[in-house]
Structure formats: structure tokens, C-alpha cells
């Protein structure tokens, strides 16, 4: 049977992708941030999965105000990098895993979660920046990727509790797949940031690090935190952090197993007026 071997958590700031694409990673402003991901890139090489289930949010690229699915799973064979206004990022096409994606969709929908099945979807920085941070600039991404979109842009958005429960359903789906695949689940977005209004530029280091602490030690408790706390403490875009709860809900300790092993923890500000957080957890 397939199994989830690890979860990866990272911010997906669009300016990070620009810095990579324009060769700016060693400039003084950017070098400390990218140094924090060097151990993670080596970990990725040493722990190459057979597939990545990557949770992210579309930024009005594949979806618009005309159509906003709460949860959408990409079931296509490939996904093209999106043009977000300056041309597509010069990154590899994302190869999907239609068989595993279809199985997860079947299992999760039967587990009472309503998913939108998407067979054509350009993928924006929300998905490609995490891949670049973890994999560098390869000619091809190291394994198939299943894109999983969560609406955290247009209210109403799903609760942290619902996301945490969804992660558990995804784990059950993966473990019922009849092929011995090693699957990683990634939760992306955040951390604290606000892009507009009177609080534009808000970053709350204390709240971010408390979130990381609780995500590790008390994820079920963190799942109960209401939306208003994220908005008040982490800014209007801080609500993206509920996507991390999907990945955390898929880990073994949530099902009575041992606590995961923390392989990397990193936090840095600023990155284009955004706080950047990063964790790697391995199942035991």
C-alpha cells in the first residue's frame, strides 16, 4: 500500500520565484532566506518521494470570481506553469499522477468531502515556488505532483478544523491505494502578511512562531483556532496557514502513531513584506 512518509510546510511568496528566476538568490537581501532552504534541498535529494500531494491556493489564475471551488484536486497528466502577468515562470511543466489523484478523489468524496475535480489547470506561484525552494532549478521536477487548491482568497473559506479533518481523509485515501508509493504531503502559504489596507505590511513574528510551536505539539488544538484570530494576528493573508493543517492532519501521530521527527525548522523576515516559515516532518 502507499504511505505518507513526510510533510513539508513552506511559504510561497511570488517574489521568491522572481529572485530565483533572475539569479538574485545570493544578493544580500535574499541570501539569508535561501540559505535556510539549503538543508531542505539536500533532504529532498535524500528522500525523493514517488509523488507529492501539494496543497496550495490559486491566486486568481486558474479560478476567478466567476468560479471559486473550496477544494479542487488536479487529476490531469500535466499542469502548465501559469502566466501571472509577466509570462510563465521558466520552470518545468508539472507532471501529475492521474491514477493516484483519481483514487484520492474517489476516496475523499466517499469520505464526505466535496471536491472539485479539475482536468485542466495552470499552476501559479503558489505551487511552483515551493517546488523551486525544495528542488532548485532542475530540468524536470523529481516526481509527479498532485495539485490541491484550497480557497483562502474569497470568503467564506474553510475552517482550520475542516482542513485538519481533510488531511486525515487524504491519509486514509493514500493508504488505501494499492501500490507501494512513498508520498509526501506539502502544505503551503503564509505566514503572517497583509497586502492591502491600513495594516499593509503587517508581520507578527511572535504569533508565527507560536503557530509553528503549536502545529508541532498540539495540531488538534491549533485546528480549533477561528478565522478571526488569523486575520487579527497574522493579517488578511495569514489565513493561508489553514492549508498547513491539511498536511499536518495526514501525519501518523494524528492516528495514534509516534510523533514525527522534525528535520528542519526555519523562519525569516522579510521576503517582500511577508514572513517566511518552513518545516519538514518525517513520519515514524
Amino acid at each position: 500500500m502507499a504511505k505518507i512518509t513526510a510533510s513539508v510546510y513552506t511559504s510561497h511568496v511570488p517574489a521568491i520565484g522572481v529572485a530565483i528566476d533572475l539569479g538574485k538568490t545570493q544578493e544580500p537581501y535574499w541570501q539569508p532566506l535561501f540559505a535556510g532552504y539549503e538543508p531542505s534541498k539536500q533532504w529532498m535529494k535524500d528522500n525523493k518521494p514517488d509523488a507529492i500531494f501539494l496543497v496550495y491556493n490559486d491566486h486568481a489564475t486558474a479560478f476567478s470570481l466567476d468560479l471559486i471551488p473550496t477544494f479542487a484536486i488536479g487529476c490531469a497528466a500535466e499542469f502548465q506553469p501559469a502566466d501571472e502577468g509577466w509570462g510563465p515562470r521558466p520552470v518545468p511543466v508539472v507532471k501529475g499522477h492521474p491514477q493516484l489523484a483519481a483514487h484520492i478523489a474517489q476516496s475523499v468524496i466517499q469520505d464526505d468531502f466535496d471536491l472539485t475535480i479539475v482536468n485542466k489547470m495552470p499552476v501559479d506561484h503558489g505551487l511552483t515556488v515551493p517546488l523551486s525552494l525544495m528542488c532548485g532549478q532542475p530540468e524536470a521536477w523529481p516526481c509527479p505532483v498532485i495539485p490541491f487548491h484550497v480557497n483562502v482568497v474569497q470568503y467564506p473559506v474553510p475552517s482550520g478544523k475542516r482542513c485538519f479533518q481533510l488531511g486525515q481523509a487524504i491519509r486514509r485515501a493514500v493508504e488505501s491505494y494499492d501500490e507501494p508509493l512513498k508520498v509526501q504531503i506539502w502544505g503551503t502559504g503564509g505566514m503572517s502578511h497583509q497586502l492591502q489596507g491600513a495594516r499593509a505590511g503587517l508581520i507578527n513574528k511572535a504569533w508565527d512562531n507560536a503557530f509553528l510551536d503549536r502545529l508541532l505539539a498540539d495540531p488538534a488544538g491549533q485546528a480549533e483556532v477561528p478565522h478571526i484570530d488569523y486575520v487579527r494576528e497574522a493579517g488578511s493573508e495569514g489565513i493561508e496557514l489553514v492549508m498547513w493543517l491539511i498536511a499536518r492532519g495526514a501525519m501518523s501521530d494524528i492516528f495514534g502513531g509516534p510523533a514525527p521527527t522534525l528535520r528542519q525548522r526555519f523562519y525569516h523576515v522579510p521576503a517582500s513584506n511577508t514572513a517566511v516559515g518552513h518545516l519538514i516532518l518525517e513520519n515514524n
Side-chain angles (χ1 to χ4, degrees):
M1 299 297 183
K3 63 179 180 179
I4 292 178
T5 57
S7 54
V8 174
Y9 311 79
T10 182
S11 304
H12 59 211
V13 184
I16 292 175
V18 175
I20 295 171
D21 300 340
L22 297 182
K24 296 178 178 291
T25 60
Q26 296 307 306
E27 292 185 359
Y29 180 86
W30 289 109
Q31 193 277 333
L33 183 146
F34 288 104
Y37 282 86
E38 285 302 314
S40 304
K41 289 163 69 175
Q42 185 59 52
W43 176 89
M44 191 68 187
K45 292 177 181 177
D46 296 339
N47 296 273
K48 179 183 173 182
D50 297 309
I52 296 169
F53 188 92
L54 200 155
V55 183
Y56 77 111
N57 64 288
D58 177 78
H59 300 79
T61 301
F63 309 113
S64 70
L65 293 180
D66 294 336
L67 176 64
I68 310 171
T70 300
F71 300 119
I73 184 167
C75 294
E78 65 178 35
F79 305 89
Q80 295 290 333
D83 183 348
E84 299 182 64
W86 298 273
R89 287 192 64 213
V91 295
V93 171
V94 175
K95 300 296 185 180
H97 198 306
Q99 296 82 8
L100 179 58
H103 172 83
I104 292 173
Q106 163 76 17
S107 177
V108 170
I109 290 171
Q110 291 299 310
D111 209 358
D112 298 332
F113 286 86
D114 298 323
L115 306 185
T116 299
I117 296 169
V118 185
N119 294 312
K120 184 178 181 181
M121 180 169 63
V123 288
D124 65 19
H125 71 270
L127 184 135
T128 61
V129 165
L131 288 172
S132 295
L133 284 168
M134 294 296 296
C135 306
Q137 296 175 286
E139 292 186 5
W141 300 122
C143 68
V145 177
I146 298 173
F148 191 85
H149 154 83
V150 180
N151 171 38
V152 288
V153 174
Q154 178 65 42
Y155 276 79
V157 303
S159 68
K161 181 178 181 180
R162 189 66 170 161
C163 289
F164 191 57
Q165 292 170 339
L166 175 57
Q168 296 169 50
I170 291 167
R171 179 189 175 88
R172 290 190 290 268
V174 169
E175 291 189 333
S176 66
Y177 188 69
D178 192 15
E179 190 177 337
L181 300 181
K182 295 180 292 183
V183 179
Q184 292 178 8
I185 183 167
W186 294 15
T188 74
M191 296 188 85
S192 63
H193 62 301
Q194 179 153 325
L195 304 180
Q196 70 288 308
R199 298 197 306 163
L202 180 147
I203 291 176
N204 188 338
K205 297 179 183 180
W207 196 91
D208 287 340
N209 279 287
F211 174 90
L212 295 174
D213 291 342
R214 200 171 188 191
L215 192 72
L216 294 171
D218 181 23
Q222 183 61 44
E224 298 290 338
V225 173
H227 286 158
I228 191 60
D229 285 25
Y230 288 90
V231 175
R232 181 178 58 245
E233 300 295 339
S236 54
E237 279 69 45
I239 192 61
E240 290 179 348
L241 286 168
V242 297
M243 295 188 290
W244 294 33
L245 287 163
I246 296 178
R248 189 65 180 89
M251 297 299 284
S252 296
D253 60 325
I254 308 304
F255 293 78
T261 299
L262 176 63
R263 291 300 183 192
Q264 172 68 326
R265 177 170 175 168
F266 175 66
Y267 182 79
H268 176 77
V269 293
S272 184
N273 290 322
T274 303
V276 172
H278 174 43
L279 296 172
I280 297 175
L281 301 180
E282 287 182 2
N283 268 325
N284 292 307

